[in-house]
Amino acid sequence: AQTVTQSQPEMSVQEAETVTLSCTYDTSESDYYLFWYKQPPSRQMILVIRQEAYKQQNATENRFSVNFQKAAKSFSLKISDSQLGDAAMYFCAYNLGSNYQLIWGAGTKLIIKP
Amino acid sequence: DTGVSQDPRHKITKRGQNVTFRCDPISEHNRLYWYRQTLGQGPEFLTYFQNEAQLEKSRLLSDRFSAERPKGSFSTLEIQRTEQGDSAMYLCASSFVSGGAYNEQFFGPGTRLTVL
Protein backbone atom coordinates (compact mmCIF):
# COMPACT_ATOMS: atom_id res chain seq x y z
CA ALA A 1 0.00 0.00 0.00
CA GLN A 2 1.14 3.51 -0.75
CA THR A 3 1.99 5.70 2.21
CA VAL A 4 3.30 9.22 2.67
CA THR A 5 5.33 10.22 5.73
CA GLN A 6 6.17 13.70 6.93
CA SER A 7 8.47 13.33 9.90
CA GLN A 8 8.50 16.98 10.95
CA PRO A 9 5.30 17.96 12.75
CA GLU A 10 6.53 21.54 13.05
CA MET A 11 9.31 23.66 11.58
CA SER A 12 10.26 27.27 12.19
CA VAL A 13 12.40 29.62 10.15
CA GLN A 14 13.48 33.21 10.33
CA GLU A 15 11.89 35.48 7.75
CA ALA A 16 14.01 35.74 4.57
CA GLU A 17 15.84 32.50 5.30
CA THR A 18 15.52 29.11 3.63
CA VAL A 19 13.71 26.10 5.04
CA THR A 20 13.35 22.52 3.80
CA LEU A 21 10.37 20.31 4.59
CA SER A 22 10.82 16.56 4.34
CA CYS A 23 8.58 13.93 2.81
CA THR A 24 9.11 10.25 2.12
CA TYR A 25 6.72 7.87 0.44
CA ASP A 26 6.38 4.21 -0.22
CA THR A 27 5.22 2.76 -3.51
CA SER A 28 6.02 -0.06 -5.88
CA GLU A 29 4.89 1.95 -8.91
CA SER A 30 7.27 3.67 -11.31
CA ASP A 31 4.94 6.34 -12.70
CA TYR A 32 3.19 8.63 -10.24
CA TYR A 33 2.78 12.22 -9.16
CA LEU A 34 3.92 14.00 -6.03
CA PHE A 35 2.57 17.25 -4.65
CA TRP A 36 3.06 19.82 -1.98
CA TYR A 37 -0.08 21.58 -0.79
CA LYS A 38 -0.29 24.58 1.53
CA GLN A 39 -3.16 25.12 3.98
CA PRO A 40 -3.01 28.56 5.67
CA PRO A 41 -4.91 28.97 8.94
CA SER A 42 -8.66 29.02 8.27
CA ARG A 43 -8.08 29.13 4.53
CA GLN A 44 -8.35 26.60 1.79
CA MET A 45 -5.80 24.12 0.59
CA ILE A 46 -3.82 25.26 -2.44
CA LEU A 47 -1.35 23.46 -4.65
CA VAL A 48 2.20 24.73 -4.26
CA ILE A 49 4.16 22.49 -6.60
CA ARG A 50 3.85 19.22 -8.51
CA GLN A 51 6.40 16.66 -9.69
CA GLU A 52 5.89 13.90 -12.23
CA ALA A 53 7.97 10.85 -11.32
CA TYR A 54 9.13 10.30 -14.90
CA LYS A 55 10.76 13.73 -14.98
CA GLN A 56 14.31 13.83 -13.72
CA GLN A 57 14.35 17.60 -13.43
CA ASN A 58 13.21 18.96 -10.09
CA ALA A 59 10.14 21.19 -10.26
CA THR A 60 10.46 24.85 -9.38
CA GLU A 61 7.82 27.52 -8.79
CA ASN A 62 9.34 30.89 -7.93
CA ARG A 63 10.65 30.58 -4.34
CA PHE A 64 9.50 26.97 -4.04
CA SER A 65 11.53 24.05 -5.33
CA VAL A 66 11.65 20.34 -4.69
CA ASN A 67 14.43 17.81 -4.30
CA PHE A 68 13.02 14.63 -5.82
CA GLN A 69 15.07 11.53 -5.13
CA LYS A 70 13.19 8.70 -6.81
CA ALA A 71 15.41 5.85 -5.67
CA ALA A 72 15.28 7.05 -2.09
CA LYS A 73 11.53 7.80 -2.38
CA SER A 74 12.14 11.25 -1.00
CA PHE A 75 10.41 14.48 -2.00
CA SER A 76 11.46 17.53 0.01
CA LEU A 77 10.22 21.09 -0.42
CA LYS A 78 12.61 24.01 -0.20
CA ILE A 79 11.23 27.48 0.45
CA SER A 80 13.71 30.26 -0.23
CA ASP A 81 13.49 33.80 1.12
CA SER A 82 10.71 32.80 3.54
CA GLN A 83 7.90 35.31 3.93
CA LEU A 84 5.33 35.76 6.69
CA GLY A 85 2.65 34.66 4.25
CA ASP A 86 4.32 31.26 3.93
CA ALA A 87 3.16 30.34 7.43
CA ALA A 88 0.80 27.39 7.02
CA MET A 89 0.40 23.64 7.22
CA TYR A 90 2.21 21.97 4.36
CA PHE A 91 1.05 18.59 3.14
CA CYS A 92 2.90 16.19 0.91
CA ALA A 93 0.68 14.01 -1.28
CA TYR A 94 1.04 11.17 -3.79
CA ASN A 95 -1.15 10.06 -6.65
CA LEU A 96 -1.00 7.52 -9.47
CA GLY A 97 -3.05 9.64 -11.85
CA SER A 98 -6.46 11.16 -12.23
CA ASN A 99 -8.32 7.90 -11.61
CA TYR A 100 -6.64 7.34 -8.28
CA GLN A 101 -6.93 9.06 -4.95
CA LEU A 102 -4.52 11.43 -3.36
CA ILE A 103 -2.62 9.85 -0.50
CA TRP A 104 -1.66 12.48 2.07
CA GLY A 105 0.98 12.91 4.72
CA ALA A 106 0.10 14.20 8.18
CA GLY A 107 1.47 17.66 7.47
CA THR A 108 4.18 19.98 8.74
CA LYS A 109 3.31 23.24 10.45
CA LEU A 110 5.62 25.97 9.21
CA ILE A 111 6.18 28.96 11.49
CA ILE A 112 7.85 32.09 10.14
CA LYS A 113 9.61 34.25 12.73
CA PRO A 114 9.67 37.96 11.90
CA ASP B 1 -16.26 31.91 -11.02
CA THR B 2 -14.61 32.46 -7.66
CA GLY B 3 -13.64 28.87 -6.95
CA VAL B 4 -15.06 26.03 -4.90
CA SER B 5 -17.54 27.11 -2.24
CA GLN B 6 -18.92 25.18 0.70
CA ASP B 7 -21.86 25.85 2.96
CA PRO B 8 -22.08 26.12 5.88
CA ARG B 9 -18.57 26.98 7.02
CA HIS B 10 -19.30 25.83 10.54
CA LYS B 11 -21.91 23.48 11.95
CA ILE B 12 -22.52 22.57 15.56
CA THR B 13 -24.97 19.78 16.22
CA LYS B 14 -26.00 17.41 18.93
CA ARG B 15 -25.19 13.74 18.76
CA GLY B 16 -27.88 11.83 16.91
CA GLN B 17 -28.94 14.69 14.67
CA ASN B 18 -28.63 14.65 10.88
CA VAL B 19 -26.54 17.24 9.05
CA THR B 20 -26.14 18.13 5.39
CA PHE B 21 -23.32 20.02 3.75
CA ARG B 22 -23.23 21.54 0.30
CA CYS B 23 -20.38 22.00 -2.14
CA ASP B 24 -20.44 24.09 -5.31
CA PRO B 25 -17.50 23.21 -7.54
CA ILE B 26 -15.86 25.31 -10.21
CA SER B 27 -18.45 25.34 -12.97
CA GLU B 28 -16.58 23.54 -15.75
CA HIS B 29 -15.16 20.84 -13.48
CA ASN B 30 -16.45 17.31 -14.02
CA ARG B 31 -14.91 15.72 -10.92
CA LEU B 32 -15.95 16.44 -7.36
CA TYR B 33 -14.28 14.99 -4.27
CA TRP B 34 -15.16 14.86 -0.58
CA TYR B 35 -12.49 14.54 2.10
CA ARG B 36 -12.51 14.50 5.87
CA GLN B 37 -9.71 16.14 7.83
CA THR B 38 -9.24 15.77 11.56
CA LEU B 39 -7.04 18.07 13.59
CA GLY B 40 -3.35 17.59 12.92
CA GLN B 41 -3.90 15.15 10.06
CA GLY B 42 -3.96 15.25 6.31
CA PRO B 43 -7.24 14.86 4.43
CA GLU B 44 -8.77 11.41 4.10
CA PHE B 45 -10.62 10.56 0.93
CA LEU B 46 -14.34 9.85 1.34
CA THR B 47 -15.85 9.72 -2.14
CA TYR B 48 -15.79 11.25 -5.59
CA PHE B 49 -18.09 11.91 -8.50
CA GLN B 50 -17.52 12.05 -12.21
CA ASN B 51 -20.33 14.31 -13.35
CA GLU B 52 -23.37 12.88 -11.53
CA ALA B 53 -21.98 9.35 -11.08
CA GLN B 54 -20.46 8.40 -7.75
CA LEU B 55 -17.47 6.35 -8.83
CA GLU B 56 -15.74 5.46 -5.60
CA LYS B 57 -16.45 5.41 -1.90
CA SER B 58 -13.92 4.93 0.84
CA ARG B 59 -14.37 2.29 3.51
CA LEU B 60 -14.38 5.29 5.87
CA LEU B 61 -17.78 6.19 4.49
CA SER B 62 -20.12 4.31 6.77
CA ASP B 63 -23.80 3.69 6.04
CA ARG B 64 -24.60 6.88 7.93
CA PHE B 65 -22.90 8.93 5.23
CA SER B 66 -24.44 9.60 1.85
CA ALA B 67 -23.38 11.90 -0.94
CA GLU B 68 -25.15 13.05 -4.06
CA ARG B 69 -24.42 15.14 -7.09
CA PRO B 70 -27.83 15.12 -8.77
CA LYS B 71 -27.18 17.17 -11.88
CA GLY B 72 -23.45 16.94 -12.07
CA SER B 73 -23.06 20.37 -10.55
CA PHE B 74 -23.29 20.94 -6.78
CA SER B 75 -22.99 18.08 -4.32
CA THR B 76 -24.38 17.35 -0.87
CA LEU B 77 -22.91 15.23 1.88
CA GLU B 78 -25.34 14.04 4.54
CA ILE B 79 -24.42 12.46 7.84
CA GLN B 80 -27.24 10.73 9.67
CA ARG B 81 -27.29 10.08 13.41
CA THR B 82 -24.11 12.03 13.99
CA GLU B 83 -21.56 10.76 16.47
CA GLN B 84 -18.83 12.67 18.30
CA GLY B 85 -16.27 10.91 16.15
CA ASP B 86 -17.74 12.66 13.10
CA SER B 87 -16.36 15.97 14.35
CA ALA B 88 -13.91 17.09 11.66
CA MET B 89 -13.38 19.44 8.76
CA TYR B 90 -15.16 18.23 5.62
CA LEU B 91 -13.39 19.38 2.49
CA CYS B 92 -14.70 19.46 -1.04
CA ALA B 93 -12.48 19.68 -4.11
CA SER B 94 -13.12 19.75 -7.83
CA SER B 95 -11.10 19.21 -10.96
CA PHE B 96 -11.44 18.82 -14.70
CA VAL B 97 -10.25 15.42 -15.82
CA SER B 98 -9.70 14.38 -19.41
CA GLY B 99 -7.77 11.17 -19.93
CA GLY B 100 -5.41 9.62 -17.41
CA ALA B 101 -3.16 12.55 -16.66
CA TYR B 102 -3.44 14.17 -13.30
CA ASN B 103 -5.42 17.39 -13.12
CA GLU B 104 -5.14 19.76 -10.21
CA GLN B 105 -7.78 19.52 -7.52
CA PHE B 106 -9.09 22.86 -6.29
CA PHE B 107 -10.28 22.88 -2.72
CA GLY B 108 -13.07 24.70 -0.97
CA PRO B 109 -12.72 26.32 2.47
CA GLY B 110 -14.30 23.34 4.21
CA THR B 111 -17.16 22.84 6.63
CA ARG B 112 -16.12 22.38 10.24
CA LEU B 113 -18.48 20.02 12.03
CA THR B 114 -18.64 19.84 15.81
CA VAL B 115 -20.79 17.13 17.33
CA LEU B 116 -21.64 17.73 20.99
Side-chain angles (χ1 to χ4, degrees):
Chain A
Q2 295 99 1
T3 58
V4 176
T5 302
Q6 294 179 251
S7 59
Q8 304 154 317
E10 186 175 296
M11 291 282 285
S12 63
V13 63
Q14 205 71 36
E15 192 178 3
E17 295 191 344
T18 295
V19 63
T20 298
L21 308 184
S22 300
C23 173
T24 58
Y25 58 95
D26 188 23
T27 184
S28 57
E29 304 292 335
S30 58
D31 290 329
Y32 48 86
Y33 300 85
L34 295 163
F35 312 88
W36 279 98
Y37 277 86
K38 171 185 177 181
Q39 188 176 37
S42 302
R43 295 181 60 190
Q44 54 226 73
M45 191 88 73
I46 57 173
L47 181 65
V48 174
I49 198 164
R50 180 177 97 196
Q51 175 79 43
E52 289 89 343
Y54 64 87
K55 291 186 178 178
Q56 292 186 335
Q57 188 172 8
N58 289 325
T60 299
E61 290 286 343
N62 301 314
R63 298 182 296 107
F64 298 87
S65 62
V66 298
N67 182 6
F68 173 48
Q69 301 290 327
K70 191 172 185 180
K73 296 180 183 175
S74 170
F75 183 61
S76 60
L77 175 69
K78 185 171 85 171
I79 306 174
S80 303
D81 184 26
S82 298
Q83 300 176 359
L84 294 177
D86 295 334
M89 285 292 292
Y90 285 81
F91 293 96
C92 178
Y94 161 101
N95 176 263
L96 284 174
S98 62
N99 292 322
Y100 297 86
Q101 303 319 315
L102 281 167
I103 310 296
W104 298 80
T108 297
K109 182 178 181 180
L110 179 62
I111 298 167
I112 310 294
K113 300 177 194 174
Chain B
D1 194 351
T2 56
V4 180
S5 61
Q6 292 186 246
D7 184 68
R9 295 290 305 275
H10 303 273
K11 178 72 177 178
I12 300 174
T13 191
K14 293 182 179 178
R15 188 178 54 181
Q17 297 293 306
N18 299 342
V19 295
T20 299
F21 310 141
R22 176 179 170 126
C23 171
D24 286 88
I26 293 171
S27 58
E28 64 268 25
H29 284 182
N30 53 4
R31 286 267 178 101
L32 188 148
Y33 304 81
W34 284 101
Y35 294 89
R36 181 172 67 190
Q37 185 180 23
T38 53
L39 201 61
Q41 297 297 318
E44 296 172 298
F45 167 76
L46 292 178
T47 188
Y48 86 93
F49 293 84
Q50 173 90 9
N51 300 312
E52 66 276 7
Q54 189 173 18
L55 294 188
E56 188 174 344
K57 292 194 292 186
S58 164
R59 285 171 290 182
L60 292 174
L61 212 65
S62 76
D63 292 344
R64 297 185 297 105
F65 288 69
S66 62
E68 294 182 341
R69 193 183 183 198
K71 296 182 180 178
S73 56
F74 74 92
S75 175
T76 58
L77 177 69
E78 181 183 16
I79 308 174
Q80 296 183 325
R81 305 181 303 281
T82 52
E83 302 172 356
Q84 288 183 326
D86 297 331
S87 296
M89 178 76 84
Y90 290 84
L91 299 174
C92 175
S94 71
S95 68
F96 179 76
V97 173
S98 176
Y102 177 82
N103 285 273
E104 180 181 348
Q105 293 184 25
F106 293 81
F107 283 80
T111 294
R112 181 166 296 283
L113 173 66
T114 302
V115 182
L116 301 176

